[in-house]
Amino acid sequence: MLRVPMSQTAMSLGFARWCCLLLIATPLATTRLRAETYKRLPPAGIKIDAAAGKSLRVRVKQIQSKLDEAASRSDDAAKWSPDVQVLVRAVRLALDQELFFKKEQVKDAGLLLDEADRRLSAAVNGQRGLKLIGLADQPLQEPQLLVGGFVSHLDDSVQPYGLVIPPNFDAAATPTSRMDVWLHGRGDTKTEIPFLRERMTKVGHYAPESTIVLHPFGRHCNAFKFAGERDVYESIDHVKRLIAIDDDRVAIRGFSMGGAGCWHLAVHDPAMWFAVNPGAGFVDTLVYQKWHDDPPFPLDPVQQKLLRWYDVLPWVTNLKNTQVVAYSGEIDKQKQAADRVFEASKSAGFDWPYVIGAGMAHKIDPVSAKSIDATIAQWAASPVEHPRKAIEFVTHTLRYHQADWLSVTGLAEHWNAGRVKANILSDEMMEIRTEGVSQIALDFRQSGWPEGSDEIKLIIDRERLIIEDEDEAAGLQCRLIRDNPDDGQWYQLSGEQTELRKRPGMQGPIDDAFCDRFIFVVPSRPAVHGVVQRWIDREIAYAKSRWQRLMRGDVRIVTDAELTEEQIETCNLICFGDFSSNQFLRDIAPQLPIQWTRDEIRVGDRQFDPSTHAPVFCYPNPRNPDRYVVVNSGMTFREFSNTSNSRQIAMLPDWAVLEVSDEMDDAIFAGNVIDKGFFDERWQLPVAPNN
């Protein structure tokens, strides 16, 4: 094992100098770049034999018909039909989107349909769960490779995953199992058919003894961010319903793009994993893309704040709450990423094992793999502390707010660091220190701490409080708030908070709305201005295609007249149209912070011409503040991001005003960005300029 030194001070000074130059040199508007400049993602497939394609379509239609009929007669179709549908959908998408990349994938498609037929017959005969997807009746001496599907909460699409079942696995005789979650590398052509066939035929980089290995698909090649991130968690929950998994023995691992995803999930949700094993993989956008001297778009303060969503280094302190063993090839160009995290960790007062593959480029060598597996196995065999006595947590957005029993539920200002150090001093006393945090919550239901006491002595930012348990469930649960978000006194919160504020899951920016269940709401009338209407039409088509192709999902669409109360209750509403053409937007317009009439667009004290401009923004739905309403935007990263998943970042904040036209290049932004910013912590437009 080697430890790699680097000058953190030099790195920080260089970055600060570069950011200052950007602030001086770059205006808000950007030079347009054409979408066709960038590669298609996924790329175009090959032409397959027409007869073979027709045969596959016939089989897909036949199996789907039988599946629908069987599901209609089953009272538990939700439990078994995704395991059949995932195979049928993989072939259908390849046919519809022309995503066959090798001739042998036509044969692979046939094999998937064969397996779908087998599963459908087995399901009708009563098989469920692991048995349905192919687990042997008796334990085997070699690993078993299984694939399955789960229904995404985001869009109701069936998403695939793979499982490696260890030798001699006996579910009936195994109380709980360790599970390693392995995140795959990028492959532009690794769509559903290649992914499923690989998971049915290859064990993978690691198959530790007595360990379930889960391979999430993660929406193709987006580095397990946005919907891909949600898929990781949903696949974990799905597998836990099939197999008894030890919650204290779940590891996150990955290589290349999967290593990037591993770093990201480790720093944002550190207490979820008993072990973290990233290999290669980027940890930021700017350095990895080499944008120091020539950024392709203005990196103003708003844009820099948005980078804190997925950049790893601002969150590195959180690695104190887990166990890390990282890997880099000695001559791998991506080694710089782990080097920088290692050095930042040392600067924060801790370190971790860093394995360097001698002479290796972008590859894991057997000696290193064996060493890493041994380290993780040792950690897995160690006792787990319940509750953990110390947590040190930092967050820049309430999208990521929790580490075990501690949750940050309010920030003084989003995208500025909120820090908490919490320590259990005794059975009846805790100490917490905070910075940039306005609200926190404590929840000890998992451990039941403390036993036999309804009151706890708390020292918080040198104040002394007596806090009471606010719930009848085992363990302390309480919420704390300070009367001034920056330096006010703390007190225990009681009752429900009804004021509008940024909070976990409702904090922006626009892209956050696509990390939970959503539906498109399209207008039933044309917009007032023709140029704007044509832009809206293009954006609806683009957002739909982008989700279907890049995120491998299904788009649920209704018109404003068809929107139901159930959809308002359960979905983020992605509304297209102006405030006259979309009935829902027209109804809630008086309660929105941005005004849009025939004669003007008004954002605070600024006015814009509505015939050539359109606002895009997210905001708590006035009809249901627990869900977003998004106006005229799909995901904000466009064709420009296809080059690298390190470019798949939030490109717009909570709101923006775009200049639109019939002839515009839209590779980076949907229009010329005239103004943009964040709403404050109470979802209001700040009085001062927001950039």
Side-chain angles (χ1 to χ4, degrees):
M1 294 187 182
L2 302 176
R3 304 193 186 280
V4 181
M6 177 181 286
S7 173
Q8 178 73 15
T9 302
M11 181 185 71
S12 299
L13 288 174
F15 178 77
R17 177 176 175 272
W18 173 69
C19 287
C20 288
L21 289 173
L22 284 176
L23 292 180
I24 295 170
T26 55
L28 182 60
T30 183
T31 301
R32 307 305 308 167
L33 292 176
R34 293 188 177 277
E36 56 264 28
T37 303
Y38 302 100
K39 65 181 180 181
R40 189 180 184 186
L41 197 62
I46 63 173
K47 293 291 183 181
I48 64 172
D49 179 75
K54 182 178 180 180
S55 175
L56 287 175
R57 286 190 182 278
V58 169
R59 290 197 66 194
V60 165
K61 185 176 181 179
Q62 289 173 341
I63 297 173
Q64 186 67 58
S65 179
K66 290 192 295 182
L67 172 57
D68 293 342
E69 181 181 356
S72 69
R73 291 187 278 103
S74 172
D75 58 3
D76 67 343
K79 290 185 178 180
W80 60 264
S81 61
D83 289 322
V84 182
Q85 186 69 63
V86 69
L87 304 170
V88 182
R89 182 177 188 267
V91 180
R92 180 190 299 112
L93 287 180
L95 291 167
D96 290 348
Q97 299 182 10
E98 298 182 339
L99 298 181
F100 289 90
F101 303 105
K102 298 178 181 179
K103 291 182 179 180
E104 54 265 35
Q105 288 177 0
V106 175
K107 179 181 178 181
D108 290 341
L111 293 173
L112 292 184
L113 294 179
D114 290 345
E115 175 63 8
D117 247 337
R118 183 201 67 78
R119 291 184 182 188
L120 183 54
S121 297
V124 171
N125 290 326
Q127 286 193 0
R128 299 289 186 269
L130 293 177
K131 294 295 184 183
L132 176 61
I133 63 176
L135 184 71
D137 292 334
Q138 299 296 327
L140 302 182
Q141 294 184 354
E142 64 272 354
Q144 297 180 68
L145 307 182
L146 309 176
V147 299
F150 67 91
V151 178
S152 166
H153 177 71
L154 274 64
D155 60 3
D156 291 341
S157 64
V158 177
Q159 295 295 322
Y161 66 90
L163 284 177
V164 180
I165 305 297
N168 304 310
F169 174 77
D170 185 348
T174 306
T176 59
S177 296
R178 167 184 154 190
M179 182 166 73
D180 288 6
V181 181
W182 178 262
L183 307 182
H184 62 79
R186 173 168 176 144
D188 289 359
T189 62
K190 188 178 284 187
T191 49
E192 289 78 4
I193 290 178
F195 174 82
L196 288 165
R197 287 301 297 160
E198 182 177 67
R199 299 277 44 89
M200 296 168 79
T201 56
K202 295 181 180 180
V203 172
H205 282 80
Y206 294 98
E209 184 179 354
S210 303
T211 300
I212 305 295
V213 182
L214 166 63
H215 292 259
F217 180 54
R219 304 285 172 135
H220 188 223
C221 60
N222 78 334
F224 305 93
K225 299 180 290 188
F226 305 106
E229 172 188 334
R230 183 65 181 261
D231 282 358
V232 172
Y233 289 106
E234 289 196 21
S235 62
I236 291 172
D237 291 342
H238 178 83
V239 171
K240 284 182 177 181
R241 292 192 289 270
L242 301 177
I243 304 172
I245 299 297
D246 184 346
D247 288 338
D248 292 328
R249 301 289 188 273
V250 179
I252 189 75
R253 311 177 72 174
F255 186 74
S256 193
M257 182 187 78
C262 184
W263 281 122
H264 139 56
L265 290 168
V267 298
H268 288 118
D269 193 7
M272 174 75 180
W273 324 107
F274 88 91
V276 173
N277 172 215
F282 62 89
V283 295
D284 76 334
T285 297
L286 303 185
V287 172
Y288 186 73
Q289 285 294 307
K290 300 179 181 178
W291 286 350
H292 307 77
D293 301 319
D294 188 24
F297 56 87
L299 288 163
D300 54 39
V302 168
Q303 218 69 44
Q304 291 177 39
K305 286 182 178 181
L306 288 173
L307 290 174
R308 296 173 197 166
W309 186 343
Y310 283 122
D311 281 1
V312 169
L313 294 182
W315 305 75
V316 75
T317 300
N318 291 342
L319 294 177
K320 290 183 177 182
N321 302 293
T322 186
Q323 301 175 107
V324 180
V325 53
Y327 171 83
S328 290
E330 185 179 22
I331 58 174
D332 189 352
K333 293 180 180 179
Q334 295 192 28
K335 180 175 175 291
Q336 57 83 20
D339 290 350
R340 294 168 62 218
V341 180
F342 184 77
E343 190 63 27
S345 298
K346 286 177 59 180
S347 296
F350 69 106
D351 63 8
W352 28 263
Y354 185 7
V355 179
I356 309 295
M360 289 292 106
H362 200 58
K363 186 177 180 181
I364 304 172
D365 63 292
V367 174
S368 296
K370 184 176 180 180
S371 171
I372 292 167
D373 259 356
T375 297
I376 296 177
Q378 182 180 1
W379 291 340
S382 302
V384 178
E385 180 183 57
H386 283 299
R388 67 179 71 207
K389 298 300 190 293
I391 293 175
E392 186 171 348
F393 186 67
V394 60
T395 184
H396 297 262
T397 168
L398 297 180
R399 164 52 58 183
Y400 306 104
H401 62 96
Q402 189 169 5
D404 202 339
W405 43 263
L406 171 71
S407 181
V408 176
T409 54
L411 290 173
E413 182 180 350
H414 256 76
W415 307 108
N416 291 340
R419 303 180 186 276
V420 180
K421 290 184 179 180
N423 294 274
I424 297 175
L425 304 179
S426 70
D427 289 343
E428 296 183 352
M429 180 172 287
M430 295 181 64
E431 181 174 13
I432 299 175
R433 293 197 175 191
T434 74
E435 177 185 340
V437 170
S438 62
Q439 297 190 36
I440 60 176
L442 308 177
D443 187 345
F444 288 91
R445 278 176 290 186
Q446 184 178 14
S447 65
W449 183 88
E451 296 183 12
S453 177
D454 293 329
E455 292 185 350
I456 294 296
K457 298 175 183 177
L458 172 65
I459 304 171
I460 181 167
D461 295 334
R462 297 185 174 85
E463 297 178 47
R464 293 181 178 270
L465 303 177
I466 300 295
I467 55 177
E468 300 179 352
D469 188 1
E470 66 178 42
D471 194 279
E472 295 181 358
L476 174 70
Q477 292 138 78
C478 70
R479 296 165 295 156
L480 300 164
I481 185 173
R482 62 196 327 172
D483 51 20
N484 182 305
D486 296 311
D487 57 3
Q489 290 188 327
W490 286 95
Y491 60 92
Q492 184 169 356
L493 185 65
S494 61
E496 294 298 322
Q497 289 184 287
T498 58
E499 79 275 15
L500 199 62
R501 65 183 181 88
K502 289 188 172 180
R503 50 192 169 82
M506 289 299 299
Q507 74 290 307
I510 291 169
D511 287 280
D512 191 64
F514 298 91
C515 297
D516 207 334
R517 188 167 179 81
F518 68 89
I519 190 169
F520 283 15
V521 184
V522 298
S524 54
R525 297 168 53 184
V528 172
H529 300 285
V531 168
V532 173
Q533 178 59 50
R534 291 188 291 275
W535 174 82
I536 289 169
D537 289 340
R538 292 195 300 272
E539 285 304 299
I540 293 171
Y542 179 82
K544 177 182 177 182
S545 174
R546 190 75 166 154
W547 188 263
Q548 291 172 330
R549 289 188 58 85
L550 181 64
M551 288 299 180
R552 317 302 302 148
D554 296 338
V555 180
R556 303 162 63 238
I557 301 179
V558 296
T559 67
D560 50 6
E562 297 168 332
L563 184 65
T564 68
E565 289 300 322
E566 187 273 337
Q567 291 162 344
I568 294 172
E569 178 68 23
T570 61
C571 299
N572 294 328
L573 304 183
I574 315 303
C575 296
F576 292 90
D578 65 14
F579 288 4
S580 64
S581 65
N582 188 301
Q583 177 180 317
F584 185 78
L585 292 179
R586 183 167 66 252
D587 291 345
I588 64 171
Q591 298 165 276
L592 296 177
I594 294 175
Q595 287 75 53
W596 190 3
T597 68
R598 173 188 295 271
D599 301 317
E600 70 171 0
I601 296 169
R602 181 177 289 275
V603 182
D605 59 358
R606 294 199 63 185
Q607 298 179 50
F608 305 89
D609 180 355
S611 68
T612 55
H613 295 77
V616 297
F617 62 93
C618 66
Y619 193 74
N621 184 351
R623 293 272 299 277
N624 178 14
D626 291 332
R627 298 289 184 270
Y628 291 108
V629 58
V630 173
V631 177
N632 288 323
S633 182
M635 299 179 298
T636 65
F637 50 97
R638 300 171 78 88
E639 261 65 24
F640 169 78
S641 72
N642 291 359
T643 302
S644 168
N645 36 60
S646 63
R647 296 186 180 189
Q648 292 175 357
I649 54 178
M651 295 296 291
L652 291 175
D654 297 347
W655 64 268
V657 176
L658 307 180
E659 182 183 33
V660 302
S661 68
D662 288 330
E663 295 183 4
M664 53 178 285
D665 300 320
D666 57 1
I668 299 182
F669 297 106
N672 192 24
V673 182
I674 303 302
D675 202 0
K676 62 183 177 181
F678 298 97
F679 295 112
D680 67 17
E681 298 308 303
R682 296 185 181 276
W683 284 101
Q684 300 299 307
L685 287 163
V687 175
N690 209 339
N691 56 3

